[in-house]
């Protein structure tokens, strides 16, 4: 009987004290811009999906990919079944599987994250050196390294084209560095289209590479039959033509995600799960334990009668 009571107590203790996840993992990175040039600032702009824009820092001092930057800043993401996390489908559960995404001509579209999302509704991937304008990524989220002291941007593109994909509405400018010049870092391209392959080290000399058509289409995309649906990145201007970031005073309001609704709670609610589920499970275990105890007691009594 003591053993039964111990099991029941453990079940209810787990149900009562199970920790709740945050909308962003507060154990990774910290809210707001990076304080120095060693980390990377990550901007997530939900654009027409609604909700606040989130800015967080991944203070990582070692080399890392765009995916490392996003997850290291504490963002919760989901890839697609076909490509995994090589293609970011959801950020902070947006767009969720239960929400209608108003694609032109398909107002009831819902994103299943099975294959590459449609070109009319996907997370576009951007990057920038400090004090420089945002660049649409020429490479996938696993194919390129983040820029130390720079910015990674994720902006939801809805019913847009190559010419008007919306850039993140937070300038790539660390506070206190507004007077510094834009010094863009030219990126070396991956050797192949393998989503797991990282960039080569920057070439020697002036570190620049020729502009022009690129073999992949960015936005975390992997080459494949379905990837042609997404718009290709815009040709990058040369370093001398690269504009500075927009005036930070034009930034939209943003947070570090501290007050955003819990992602797991949203998923539970949309899937029909309820907060009483752990208690129901505990009650079921209790009922089984009591039934087992009563059955064992009856057996002992029956044996004693004999």
């Amino acid at each position: 009987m003591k053993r039964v009571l111990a099991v029941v107590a453990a079940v209810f203790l787990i149900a009562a004290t199970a920790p709740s996840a945050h909308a962003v993992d507060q154990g990774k990175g910290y809210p707001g811009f990076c304080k120095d040039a060693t980390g990377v600032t990550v901007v997530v702009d939900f654009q027409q999906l609604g909700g606040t824009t989130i800015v967080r820092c991944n203070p990582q001092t070692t080399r890392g990919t765009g995916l490392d930057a996003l997850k290291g800043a504490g963002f919760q993401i989901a890839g697609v079944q076909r490509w995994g996390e090589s293609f970011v489908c959801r950020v902070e559960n947006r767009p969720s599987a239960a929400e209608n995404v108003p694609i032109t001509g398909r107002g009831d579209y819902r994103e299943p994250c099975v294959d590459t999302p449609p070109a009319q509704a996907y997370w576009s991937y951007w990057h920038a050196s400090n004090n420089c304008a945002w660049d649409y990524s020429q490479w996938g989220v696993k194919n390129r390294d983040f820029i130390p002291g720079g910015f990674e941007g994720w902006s939801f593109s809805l019913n847009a084209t190559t010419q008007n994909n919306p850039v993140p509405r937070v300038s790539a400018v660390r506070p206190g560095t507004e007077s510094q010049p834009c010094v863009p870092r030219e990126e070396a391209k991956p050797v192949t289209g393998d989503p797991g392959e990282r960039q080569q080290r920057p070439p020697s000399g002036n570190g620049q590479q020729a502009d022009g058509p690129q073999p992949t289409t960015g936005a975390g995309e992997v080459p494949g039959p379905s990837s042609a649906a997404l718009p290709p990145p815009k040709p990058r201007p040369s370093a001398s033509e690269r504009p500075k970031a927009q005036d930070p005073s034009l930034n939209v309001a943003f947070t570090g995600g501290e007050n955003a609704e819990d992602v797991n709670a949203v998923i539970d609610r949309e899937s029909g799960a309820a907060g009483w589920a752990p208690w129901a499970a505990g009650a079921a275990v209790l009922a089984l334990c009591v039934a087992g105890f009563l059955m064992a007691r009856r057996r002992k009594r029956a044996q004693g009668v004999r």
Side-chain angles (χ1 to χ4, degrees):
M1 184 64 179
K2 290 182 179 179
R3 186 175 299 176
V4 171
L5 292 175
V7 171
V8 173
V11 170
F12 276 88
L13 181 63
I14 292 173
T17 61
S20 60
H22 293 282
V24 292
D25 186 346
Q26 303 293 339
K28 297 180 179 179
Y30 56 83
F33 296 88
C34 288
K35 297 177 175 61
D36 53 44
T38 57
V40 57
T41 300
V42 183
V43 177
V44 171
D45 192 337
F46 296 93
Q47 298 281 358
Q48 294 182 61
L49 287 178
T52 188
T53 299
I54 300 177
V55 178
R56 291 184 64 83
C57 174
N58 174 7
Q60 183 174 336
T61 58
T62 57
R63 186 183 183 194
T65 65
L67 185 62
D68 294 329
L70 184 62
K71 298 176 75 172
F75 288 99
Q76 296 190 44
I77 68 165
V80 296
Q81 291 182 22
R82 184 176 184 186
W83 307 117
E85 291 183 340
S86 295
F87 198 107
V88 175
C89 182
R90 304 193 212 284
V91 181
E92 294 300 299
N93 194 42
R94 302 296 307 279
S96 77
E99 70 178 295
N100 289 339
V101 182
I103 293 177
T104 301
R106 300 176 62 186
D108 59 348
Y109 178 78
R110 294 186 178 184
E111 180 53 64
C113 288
V114 173
D115 208 337
T116 308
Q120 301 97 320
Y122 73 102
W123 281 103
S124 59
Y125 176 35
W126 305 76
H127 63 86
S129 295
N130 188 45
N131 278 333
C132 293
W134 288 103
D135 274 336
Y136 188 107
S137 179
Q138 304 285 314
W139 319 118
V141 68
K142 286 187 175 181
N143 284 130
R144 61 172 301 279
D145 290 345
F146 63 73
I147 302 170
F151 287 73
E152 295 276 306
W154 293 86
S155 176
F156 195 77
S157 179
L158 179 64
N159 298 320
T161 66
T162 305
Q163 287 70 37
N164 62 6
N165 277 324
V167 302
R169 295 171 294 174
V170 172
S171 299
V173 180
R174 289 199 315 278
T177 67
E178 292 85 353
S179 61
Q180 296 180 7
C182 165
V183 183
R185 189 190 75 170
E186 297 299 325
E187 299 185 87
K189 66 181 180 180
V191 177
T192 71
D194 183 345
E197 181 167 0
R198 303 175 71 174
Q199 290 175 297
Q200 298 172 307
R201 290 292 184 181
S204 58
N206 62 9
Q208 296 184 10
Q209 64 183 56
D211 294 315
Q214 305 295 342
T216 60
T217 63
E221 187 175 355
V222 182
S226 66
S227 66
L230 290 189
K234 304 171 186 177
R236 293 181 297 179
S238 65
S240 61
E241 298 172 336
R242 201 71 58 84
K244 288 190 63 175
Q246 72 171 15
D247 186 342
S249 67
L250 301 176
N251 287 351
V252 296
F254 65 86
T255 73
E258 304 94 327
N259 298 319
E261 187 177 5
D262 177 80
V263 173
N264 293 328
V266 173
I267 294 174
D268 288 344
R269 185 177 70 249
E270 292 175 346
S271 64
W276 46 261
W279 298 101
V285 172
L286 175 60
L288 289 173
C289 291
V290 171
F293 171 74
L294 293 176
M295 185 175 294
R297 192 172 180 178
R298 288 176 181 173
R299 286 178 179 174
K300 286 185 179 180
R301 286 180 176 177
Q303 290 174 355
V305 172
R306 293 175 186 175

